[in-house]
Amino acid sequence: MAPKYKAPRGTQDVLPEVSWRWQRVEAAFREICRRYGYGEIRTPVFEDTELFVHGTGEGTEIVTRQMYSFEDRGGRSLTLRPEGTPSVVRAFLEHGLHSRGVQKFYYIAPIFRYERPQAGRYRQHTQLGVEAIGAPGPDIDAEVIALFHDFLTEISLEGAVTHISSIGCRNCRPALSDALRAFFKPKLDDLCEFCQARYEANPLRILDCGVPADVEARVGAPSALDHICDECRAHFDAVVALLTELDIPHEVDPTIVRGLDYYTRTTFEVVHPSLGAQDVLMGGGRYDGLAEVLGGPATPGIGFGSGLERLLLVLGEEGSSPGPDVYVAAASEEARGPAFKLALELRRAGLSVEIDYIGRALRTQMREANRLRARAVALIGEDEMAAGTVTLRDMATGEQESVPAGQVAERMKSRPGGDGA
RNA sequence: GUGACCGUAGCUCAAGGGUAGAGCACCGGACUGUGGAUCCGGUGGUUGGGGGUUCAAAUCCCCUCGGUCACCCCA
């Protein structure tokens, strides 16, 4: 006990007995992205610190308190990616993709934030994300939300609720902020210290603060949706209409405000009631000003990020990993050589094969085969070696048969339930 | 960053100042070459780490590391 080294705080090891769950969810996400025409993008785990300071936003919690930043040996300030969007937009601009119409990306990438760990919140977590850059219209907004909805269906995750709103554009945001300041001015002293600071810089954020006093203070506050401009309103109404038409369940919730500076117009999140305080499964929105902020031509964009660890928390631990096709058992010390050779031959024939490496008793090998949920056991002992055969036992039925050594793979593939893959 | 609770075998947990235990798991055996059941035996711990109090500390005190929950933040 008390090993010398432990995984750093807020990080975790994913062992083979659970990583198959991760792979299953990742595979489903890749498949849905393929159907929607989103191609995988892989960007560096670290970037120029300035990318996030300007992209994510100087005043955001992420930039001011949560980044893992370091100086490399060349004196450059680098930062472990605390969110995915700036990297993707940076790559989009760097490779001149703005001249190629709408570009759609997806990624599965580790994200790093220095936060106090708790259930559903880690210092390194994995985000499944999507970014669609270059399309200004409401249809792509609906598409991105539909994509996630289909993904949840694909992994059989039930009970998630989609909230959607609009926080306006750079033209109408000032008027919205003014309306909020006017409303909160007489109550300024009642607000929490953070919200008092937000009052000037970004009064919108007061709307989703969780402090009880603030929740009370904002009763009757102006709704973002009532103060956005006609263009933003039309865009939002069109998104909602599309979702309704597509049968994507959603709730309009004017209180959702994302914590990153670059969001414009459509914002959304998907929450799940089984998760407790960290209940956001997916969050995203439109970021029509980001490309410009990063020094590129004005280009609209929209995307989301979804925490893989949280998805797995909701999915729970039902089910079990698939077992090997064949467990090769050696009945004696002398049979271990032929058994090992058989295992390799079966593997080359495309079967997944497990075998004992430490000379355990035959009984224990059988137990192991059972525990692993092997479909069959191929047994080799004195009799088999003499006859050039293998005893093949079906672990579900208990039936055994003698099979010529060279025909085991063939026999397995022809069995019911065998796919030979 | 704030507050609360909790760290004993691989896992789940007993022992609350006086020789660290159980169940599960693992290994072997009963069963001379056969799994999922039962029984028997065995391996395994400087009680998260460090310091202090005491004749004596898993147990009391302090620090530290880690986990959990809430705040906060967010995926």
Side-chain angles (χ1 to χ4, degrees), chain A residues 88-107:
Chain A
V88 176
V89 175
R90 189 223 87 224
F92 170 87
L93 295 172
E94 183 169 339
H95 298 279
L97 303 180
H98 49 275
S99 59
R100 289 208 232 153
V102 179
Q103 297 287 306
K104 298 182 294 178
F105 308 98
Y106 83 86
Y107 55 86

Side-chain angles (χ1 to χ4, degrees), chain A residues 116-122 275-279 310 313:
Chain A
R116 185 89 168 249
Q118 80 188 57
R121 185 212 262 172
Y122 311 97
L275 280 177
Q278 312 300 322
D279 66 348
R310 289 187 188 173
L313 240 30

Side-chain angles (χ1 to χ4, degrees), chain A residues 31-42:
Chain A
E31 165 60 15
I32 295 296
C33 287
R34 185 190 67 79
R35 290 184 202 167
Y36 276 79
Y38 288 65
E40 184 182 16
I41 183 167
R42 303 192 187 200

Side-chain angles (χ1 to χ4, degrees), chain A residues 158-317:
Chain A
E158 293 171 353
V161 181
T162 302
H163 295 273
I164 180 168
S165 185
S166 174
I167 58 171
C169 62
R170 96 177 104 173
N171 297 325
C172 54
R173 187 79 57 79
L176 172 56
S177 294
D178 285 346
L180 288 165
R181 284 195 202 95
F183 176 81
F184 283 113
K185 189 162 190 180
K187 309 180 177 199
L188 200 50
D189 292 338
D190 300 334
L191 299 177
C192 76
E193 52 173 322
F194 297 104
C195 284
Q196 293 190 19
R198 286 162 181 154
Y199 175 82
E200 275 306 326
N202 189 0
L204 256 175
R205 300 272 278 114
I206 301 174
L207 292 179
D208 75 339
C209 183
V211 175
D214 298 352
V215 174
E216 197 172 317
R218 67 170 173 257
V219 171
S223 166
L225 292 174
D226 293 336
H227 289 262
I228 56 179
C229 63
D230 292 346
E231 289 78 11
C232 286
R233 183 73 217 191
H235 182 96
F236 179 71
D237 289 344
V239 174
V240 171
L242 276 164
L243 290 175
T244 303
E245 203 173 312
L246 295 169
D247 268 332
I248 309 292
H250 59 279
E251 292 177 13
V252 173
D253 175 3
T255 69
I256 67 166
V257 181
R258 309 258 77 230
L260 312 183
D261 281 359
Y262 50 64
Y263 284 118
T264 55
R265 291 195 162 172
T266 313
T267 55
F268 48 85
E269 56 188 32
V270 174
V271 301
H272 198 280
S274 74
L275 280 177
Q278 312 300 322
D279 66 348
V280 177
L281 272 183
M282 172 275 240
R286 183 165 273 284
Y287 45 84
D288 292 343
L290 181 57
E292 220 172 343
V293 166
L294 296 183
T299 314
I302 184 168
F304 68 70
S306 176
L308 177 50
E309 291 80 358
R310 289 187 188 173
L311 292 167
L312 290 163
L313 240 30
V314 174
L315 288 172
E317 296 179 1

Side-chain angles (χ1 to χ4, degrees), chain A residues 35 44 50 78 92 102 108 116 125 150 203 267 280 324 326 349 364:
Chain A
R35 290 184 202 167
E50 292 291 299
L78 301 171
F92 170 87
V102 179
I108 299 176
R116 185 89 168 249
H125 76 274
D150 285 4
T267 55
V280 177
V326 179
T364 308

